[in-house]
């Protein structure tokens, strides 16, 4: 979801990062070539200043694209690492994963020695876009025995009400599915936090009225702390995106942790987001639609 996210919706960041890297490389190379023209002892001040600019450029590039605190970039640290102490693993997918070989995935995919248990699938985005692979992914996840869930990627270009009804029109969850997911990673410019929270609650309430379960909120932990910290949001299950750390920094309760966007599994071409569930398989089943004995459990 690759914060999908969506999740998923930002998989093209690898291309952007490559372009940024190439652009930065040639800028630095040109700068070094420029300063190499100076003779010994001449323009030392300019040379020192130029070196300083280079270091600043590298530091900014590292912070934005490479540091573990960055969000939604393709991993530069090699193979994905699995957090310790979790046995219930899952993935989230969209059209960015292409056509999945479900037979191969089911037969051979293991995460830290454990089988896949759940699959989150991108359903809709905004109020006018259905993921091209949604129908196939949605049916196959059930066919191959996974606990499945569907997420909606929030857009700032349409109203919360129109997005909620668009999701309900195109995604039809049944008993045994995980609660619907709202993937939200951006806040509109020039809006008060309180007003933003009201719009998010509008989507949540409409979808909750349909399924009689609290929807899951997906976002990265800093976004939740800054914009969704009101106590009312603590009633909703939280799916946290926090990459390349051994332990989640978020201090509140959470259900799912998207810990990397660089997973590699048989049956899926390229990278895929990996997630863990904070509980047992029995707990995961109790979270599904039709199993919850009370809203907000």
């Amino acid at each position: 979801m690759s914060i999908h996210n969506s999740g998923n919706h930002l998989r093209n960041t690898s291309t952007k990062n490559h372009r940024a890297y190439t652009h930065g490389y040639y800028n630095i190379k040109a700068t070094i070539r420029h300063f190499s023209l100076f003779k010994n002892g001449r323009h030392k001040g300019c040379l020192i200043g130029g070196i300083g600019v280079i270091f600043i450029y590298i530091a900014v590039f590292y912070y934005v694209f490479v540091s573990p605190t960055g969000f939604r970039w393709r991993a530069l640290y090699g193979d994905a690492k699995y957090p310790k102490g979790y046995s219930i693993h899952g993935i989230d997918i969209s059209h960015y994963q292409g056509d999945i070989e479900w037979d191969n995935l089911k037969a051979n995919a293991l995460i830290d020695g454990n089988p896949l248990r759940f699959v989150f699938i991108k359903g809709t985005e905004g109020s006018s876009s259905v993921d091209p692979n949604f129908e196939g992914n949605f049916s196959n996840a059930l066919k191959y025995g996974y606990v499945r869930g569907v997420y909606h990627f929030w857009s700032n270009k349409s109203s919360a009400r129109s997005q909620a009804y668009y999701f309900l029109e195109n995604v039809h969850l049944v008993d045994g599915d995980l609660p619907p997911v709202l993937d939200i990673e951006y806040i509109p410019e020039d809006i008060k936090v309180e007003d933003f929270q009201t719009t998010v609650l509008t989507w949540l309430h409409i979808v909750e009225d349909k399924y009689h379960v609290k929807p899951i909120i997906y976002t990265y932990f800093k976004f939740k702390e800054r914009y969704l910290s009101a106590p009312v949001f603590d009633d909703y299950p939280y799916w946290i995106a926090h990459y390349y750390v051994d332990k989640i920094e978020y201090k509140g309760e959470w259900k799912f942790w998207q810990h990397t966007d660089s997973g590699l599994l048989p049956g899926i071409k390229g990278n895929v987001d990996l997630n863990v569930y904070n509980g047992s398989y029995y707990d995961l089943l109790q979270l599904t639609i039709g199993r919850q004995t009370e809203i907000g459990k």
Side-chain angles (χ1 to χ4, degrees), residues 33-279:
R33 184 171 60 249
H34 172 74
F35 284 106
S36 67
L37 298 176
F38 293 116
K39 302 299 183 180
N40 292 337
R42 296 179 59 188
H43 306 292
K44 289 184 178 179
C46 293
L47 180 59
I48 293 174
I51 293 174
V53 170
I54 292 174
F55 278 110
I56 292 173
Y57 195 104
I58 293 173
V60 171
F61 179 83
Y62 176 86
Y63 178 79
V64 174
F65 295 108
V66 182
S67 73
T69 58
F71 177 67
R72 285 287 182 193
W73 52 275
R74 189 60 59 201
L76 300 180
Y77 290 106
D79 295 337
K81 296 181 180 180
Y82 309 117
K84 302 298 182 181
Y86 303 97
S87 60
I88 309 303
H89 296 264
I91 57 176
D92 57 277
I93 57 175
S94 73
H95 68 280
Y96 287 107
Q97 276 66 53
D99 294 328
I100 295 173
E101 299 173 1
W102 289 90
D103 287 327
N104 191 5
L105 184 71
K106 183 65 176 179
N108 300 305
L110 293 175
I111 300 179
D112 201 22
N114 297 288
L116 285 179
R117 294 292 194 177
F118 61 90
V119 177
F120 282 112
I121 304 154
K122 183 179 181 180
T124 54
E125 179 174 339
S127 58
S128 61
S129 176
V130 176
D131 188 86
N133 288 25
F134 168 64
E135 292 294 342
N137 287 338
F138 189 61
S139 61
N140 279 318
L142 181 64
K143 176 182 177 181
Y144 285 87
Y146 296 110
V147 180
R148 65 183 182 178
V150 180
Y151 70 86
H152 170 80
F153 184 57
W154 176 273
S155 171
N156 292 324
K157 297 180 180 180
S158 52
S159 70
R161 183 172 296 274
S162 65
Q163 293 188 60
Y165 285 117
Y166 187 74
F167 176 82
L168 295 177
E169 177 184 348
N170 290 281
V171 177
H172 305 288
L173 300 172
V174 298
D175 287 355
D177 291 335
L178 289 165
V181 180
L182 177 60
D183 177 343
I184 185 163
E185 304 172 23
Y186 304 99
I187 183 173
E189 297 180 0
D190 303 323
I191 187 175
K192 294 181 179 179
V193 173
E194 293 79 8
D195 294 335
F196 174 66
Q197 293 175 347
T198 299
T199 61
V200 173
L201 286 171
T202 297
W203 192 98
L204 295 172
H205 289 161
I206 291 173
V207 175
E208 182 179 345
D209 287 343
K210 167 67 176 180
Y211 289 108
H212 306 292
V213 293
K214 294 283 188 184
I216 298 168
I217 296 175
Y218 166 95
T219 193
Y220 54 104
F221 82 102
K222 289 184 179 179
F223 189 93
K224 188 176 191 304
E225 290 180 341
R226 291 171 182 171
Y227 307 117
L228 301 177
S229 59
V232 65
F233 293 106
D234 293 337
D235 294 335
Y236 293 88
Y238 182 28
W239 177 11
I240 182 173
H242 197 184
Y243 298 167
Y244 314 112
V245 293
D246 295 326
K247 184 178 180 181
I248 289 180
E249 295 181 19
Y250 179 68
K251 303 303 180 183
E253 296 184 3
W254 56 273
K255 293 293 186 180
F256 299 91
W257 173 14
Q258 185 185 76
H259 56 87
T260 183
D261 62 350
S262 63
L264 294 173
L265 293 174
I268 298 179
K269 298 178 181 177
N271 298 98
V272 64
D273 297 338
L274 301 183
N275 305 266
V276 295
Y277 177 71
N278 190 19

